[in-house]
Amino acid sequence: MSKPDRPATESRRGFVNWLLGTSAGAFVVSAFYPVARFVVPPLEAESATSSVTLPFGPAEIGTNQGKSFRFGNRPGLLVRTPSGELRAFSAECTHLSCTVQYRTDESRIWCACHNGFFDLTGTNVQGPPPRPLETYDVNVRGDQIVVGLKA
Amino acid sequence: MNRNMTLAAVVAVGLVLCIAPGLFAQDSSDMCIECHRALDSEPLSRQVEQFEVDIHAAAGFGCVDCHGGDASIAGPGGMDPALGFLGAPGGEEIIAVCGRCHSDAEFMRQFNPSLRVDQEAEYWTSRHGQRLAAAGDTAVATCADCHAPHGIRPASDPKSTVYPPNVASTCGRCHDDSARMGTYDIPVDQNEKYARSVHHEALVEGGDISAPTCNDCHGNHGAAPPGISWVGNVCGQCHAVMADQYEQSRHAQTFVEMGMPGCATCHSNHEILEAGDSLLGLGDGAVCAACHTEGDPGGSAAMAMRAGIDSLTVEIDEATAVLHEAEQAGMEVSAAQADMKDSNSALVMGRAAMHSFSPDAVTEALAPGREIAGASLEKGQSALQDLRVRRMGLIASVAIILVLILALVLKIRQIGSGPADSPGRA
Amino acid sequence: MENHESRLSAIWNWLDQRIGLAPAISLARKKEVPVHKHSIWYYMGGMTLFLYLVQIGTGILLLIYYRPSAEEAYESVQFLMTDVKFGWLVRSIHHWAANLMIFMAFVHLVSVLFMKAYRPPRELTWFSGVILLALALAFGFTGYLLPWNELAFFATRVGTEIVGVFPFVGDFALKIARGGTDVTGATLTRFYGVHVAILPAIGFFFLGLHLLLVQKLGMSVPPSIENSGSPKRAMKFVPDFFLRDAIGWLVAVALLVTLAAFLPAHLGVKADPFAAAPAGIKPEWYFMFMFHQLKLLPAHILGIEGELVGVMAFALGGVFLFLVPFLDRNAARGKPSPLFTWIGIAILAYILIMTWLGYTADPMG
């Protein structure tokens, strides 16, 4: 500080202060941008792999009807049996992993690829499927349906 | 000569032992078992052991129910033909012995009401039965050749000779034997071929008991080669979609006219390998090339169908690889991955639709799959793009930090009160 | 411009009148840091403090999405890592800053030990520092379990097992540590509470004490420098030392984001209490020397359970480290104390060798 103030030093000081201020500002912005984005909740509701809350309620599926849903990155099939019971299965056919669907006319689960049929317990009863469908647990909590892996 | 004498001696000793009263089972009513057990000679004693696990023994039947004679008489006296003793039945006798109960619905209902009673009737319609009846050929298979006499187990028992995974070797006992088959001019390579087939793999390695073995196509008691015109019905039992489409196609009629065996024309009969895409088209391993060439409409249809299936396969592989890469990098792509399952469904449907031999039907079946695969690929690529943005963000923020550090260094220099020229501690 | 400055000074005056800013400023101006060839070690404490602040910041952010239950913990972390924007960054920085903080705390402790900075009147600074290190290790141990993955689950099972070896109180202490007889969802909520509430509360108290003492007593100068009578220079804490500190912190931030981008914290497989323990269960690196030592001990030493002997030895070692200011009489009187330097070197060498052996040993052994 004891050095004599020359114009060159003066402008140098100004530059350093400018650089310090600007870069510190940029740093603060770059630190707070991720934090701000982090705090904003993501659009999709939380998805867990061991259980999933279906995007539709028990009232939206009538008797003798099937509705597909997403279980993590795999397709699932919810069926309300003619007797009114809700059952959930993996919708992946055990033959070649085609997506199966519910056949209202047959009251059975059907794979369109090779005409395989599964009964309402998921057992393979006709056609090429070698194994029963994987079954999931279904719980109804109020107007929510929660499907989970078998404990 | 020497062996016969030994056998005779053994039998003699056995008889003496049997006749000596009270030496063995005092309260046994079945002298057959007592004597034969004591015989130190195969196969006479082994049959007794085997019979212990026989389903008939479990149901309370004994030797005399098939062989006749009187089990209460010790010694050769019980084996008097006058008492109905048959010895070892052969040929038509076997069919009659088994059929006596197994064709009698009233009788069988007491033991197993769900068991069919038409085996004997079916047998007479089989190639085996016809040869036996018409030509008196006793070399053909009868009940006892497949059902392991004295050790008969139900087909559901894994130790049974007719348990599905064991059926091929049971049939192979005769059909693998070139000396035996030579007289009929029948090839002996079926079992060897079957062992390489996708059905054998599913049955034996995959443990899928419903996968077909010999009897599922040829019938069991009514065994006969399937006719050329209805081989499709055999395969169509399980492969219904393909069979339907084939039925409606122009090949169905043409193949019959040409005397070609339907499904087996392309897929062979015993050596049915996993049907890959390479079967279709005109390239290496393509079965269409046997009749079609590049110039004819059939050839170009085959090439078009193959091209469609190949495109979707490549598109699916590409999208799957990109999604996998994105997933490994910690990006969320589970929705796109779930969609990809439908794309795979379309590919499988397209492969099935190929049996209509119509390129339009294949294109239509594949269309949704191609759409989904395209959309998924885009999603995967945009996820990877996000990842690159992430790395760019890192570079940018590190650059900002470096500039800030530089500014601080300059500031420190400028303040100039570093250690070098600072005044001593107060 | 004029107007702007006068408004600032008005705000300043307003605040100064109410909370007394002037004394704080003069205190900061007065604070000086001695300059000599070992000055570099003065930066270690500040670095540890900075990383602790990073932990608080990222930890608070993680709390927004984390759910402390066995059913949801793993899934919520997975959700955070994949769906939440920059979730991967926040969690990875929390992970890496934790490791770096404990490393810096070790370096700080070792440098203080070798520079004999624990001499009177700084015994309390040392005590609070050792307690802070223990708290940092407890932070690490409890935080490790929170993602509820397989590796953490079994490492926690092994780690808490140690509590149970103590005679008489072992079973009870184990039950307290685990919230039951085994590691379960109850352990998870317990560890969560300890990690985010109990440890921070205790930590702030000791950190405050530690910083207050450092402020009150000033920086210690090593005896070797003091005795050699070398020129006693100093630099002002504000701005000279502080700006240099800031450079170190920025380097740390750059290192953290780079580590986070290229080596993000893994999540692994969800813990399954009924599954068999996977091969290669390892604690965090800072527990490795103890973990490996306990593995090497024979089943029984002089008729006492080997593990108990080992745990007692480590406990005694901790007590010894804590009491160093009282034990090192020579240093306290300003005399050279090579004995404690050598003890320090021996402990350091032991920890380094055991850690190295722990990472290279055959996992089946």
Side-chain angles (χ1 to χ4, degrees), chain B residues 399-419:
Chain B
I400 290 171
I401 290 170
L402 289 179
V403 172
L404 184 52
I405 289 174
L406 176 74
L408 282 173
V409 170
L410 289 175
K411 185 76 185 172
I412 289 168
R413 283 237 197 113
Q414 194 185 61
I415 292 168
S417 54

Side-chain angles (χ1 to χ4, degrees), chain C residues 106-365:
Chain C
F106 271 120
V107 172
H108 183 45
L109 177 124
V110 169
S111 67
V112 166
L113 188 68
F114 285 144
M115 299 204 307
K116 320 269 182 221
Y118 49 77
R119 288 167 300 145
R122 297 187 176 80
E123 299 98 321
L124 283 176
T125 323
W126 171 266
F127 293 156
S128 58
V130 172
I131 290 171
L132 283 170
L133 178 70
L135 290 175
L137 293 178
F139 263 121
F141 185 70
T142 50
Y144 194 53
L145 179 69
L146 298 187
W148 200 243
N149 57 24
E150 200 179 45
L151 215 57
F153 177 83
F154 287 102
T156 303
R157 203 182 236 181
V158 174
T160 46
E161 201 84 44
I162 289 169
V163 182
V165 304
F166 289 102
F168 311 117
V169 294
D171 282 346
F172 181 70
L174 186 68
K175 219 175 252 184
I176 295 294
R178 286 180 174 175
T181 47
D182 207 346
V183 177
T184 58
T187 319
L188 181 69
T189 31
R190 187 161 287 238
F191 273 35
Y192 169 77
V194 171
H195 188 79
V196 306
I198 297 175
L199 288 177
I202 304 173
F204 272 120
F205 174 76
F206 283 103
L207 185 62
L209 180 66
H210 197 70
L211 293 178
L212 189 75
L213 289 169
V214 169
Q215 185 62 37
K216 188 173 160 58
L217 301 171
M219 301 305 237
S220 157
V221 177
S224 60
I225 305 288
E226 224 166 37
N227 296 341
S228 68
S230 57
K232 285 173 185 164
R233 291 178 296 127
M235 70 163 89
K236 290 202 166 295
F237 183 79
V238 179
D240 303 66
F241 190 81
F242 180 75
L243 288 179
R244 285 171 175 78
D245 242 355
I247 291 177
W249 299 350
L250 287 170
V251 170
V253 172
L255 182 65
L256 286 175
V257 293
T258 309
L259 284 171
F262 289 98
L263 296 169
H266 283 293
L267 184 52
V269 184
K270 185 175 177 173
D272 177 3
F274 304 108
I281 286 293
K282 278 195 182 101
E284 294 269 61
W285 58 268
Y286 37 85
F287 292 122
M288 188 46 118
F289 72 97
M290 292 193 259
F291 177 76
H292 193 64
Q293 176 64 76
L294 292 178
K295 250 180 26 183
L296 290 182
L297 288 175
H300 289 280
I301 299 169
L302 302 172
I304 310 168
E305 220 177 296
E307 203 167 47
L308 179 61
V309 175
V311 172
M312 294 303 266
F314 282 121
L316 282 178
V319 172
F320 172 80
L321 190 68
F322 188 77
L323 293 178
V324 158
F326 290 160
L327 297 173
D328 191 358
R329 309 300 309 166
N330 282 342
R333 284 195 294 263
K335 288 183 195 162
S337 62
L339 176 65
F340 275 79
T341 306
W342 284 112
I343 289 176
I345 290 172
I347 291 175
L348 195 61
Y350 164 77
I351 290 178
L352 289 176
I353 290 169
M354 267 302 158
T355 306
W356 183 71
L357 285 178
Y359 278 102
T360 51
D362 178 12
M364 298 298 147

Side-chain angles (χ1 to χ4, degrees), chain A:
Chain A
M1 306 278 173
S2 55
K3 282 175 189 166
D5 281 342
R6 288 192 309 249
T9 328
E10 198 60 57
S11 79
R12 205 177 113 95
R13 172 167 304 164
F15 170 71
V16 169
N17 282 342
W18 173 84
L19 189 66
L20 194 61
T22 315
S23 56
F27 174 70
V28 169
V29 169
S30 73
F32 275 91
Y33 174 71
V35 172
R37 294 296 300 272
F38 179 88
V39 173
V40 176
L43 286 177
E44 278 185 46
E46 190 161 336
S47 73
T49 44
S50 72
S51 78
V52 63
T53 303
L54 302 191
F56 48 85
E60 287 167 67
I61 177 164
T63 43
N64 195 25
Q65 263 190 7
K67 238 171 144 66
S68 54
F69 60 88
R70 193 154 75 76
F71 196 96
N73 57 8
R74 301 169 62 194
L77 179 69
L78 184 76
V79 170
R80 194 186 279 280
T81 64
S83 60
E85 199 182 331
L86 282 174
R87 289 182 191 161
F89 307 93
S90 159
E92 268 182 88
C93 180
T94 50
H95 180 220
L96 290 175
S97 304
C98 288
T99 306
V100 298
Q101 51 190 287
Y102 186 69
R103 279 277 290 266
T104 306
D105 54 342
E106 294 255 359
S107 290
R108 289 197 292 178
I109 298 164
W110 178 58
C111 177
C113 285
H114 294 124
N115 217 24
F117 279 95
F118 300 88
D119 68 12
L120 292 178
T121 63
T123 311
N124 46 325
V125 288
Q126 193 182 318
R131 284 183 311 281
L133 292 173
E134 193 185 338
T135 57
Y136 300 139
D137 280 332
V138 184
N139 288 298
V140 176
R141 299 178 194 160
D143 57 354
Q144 279 188 327
I145 305 174
V146 180
V147 171
L149 289 179
K150 285 264 180 217

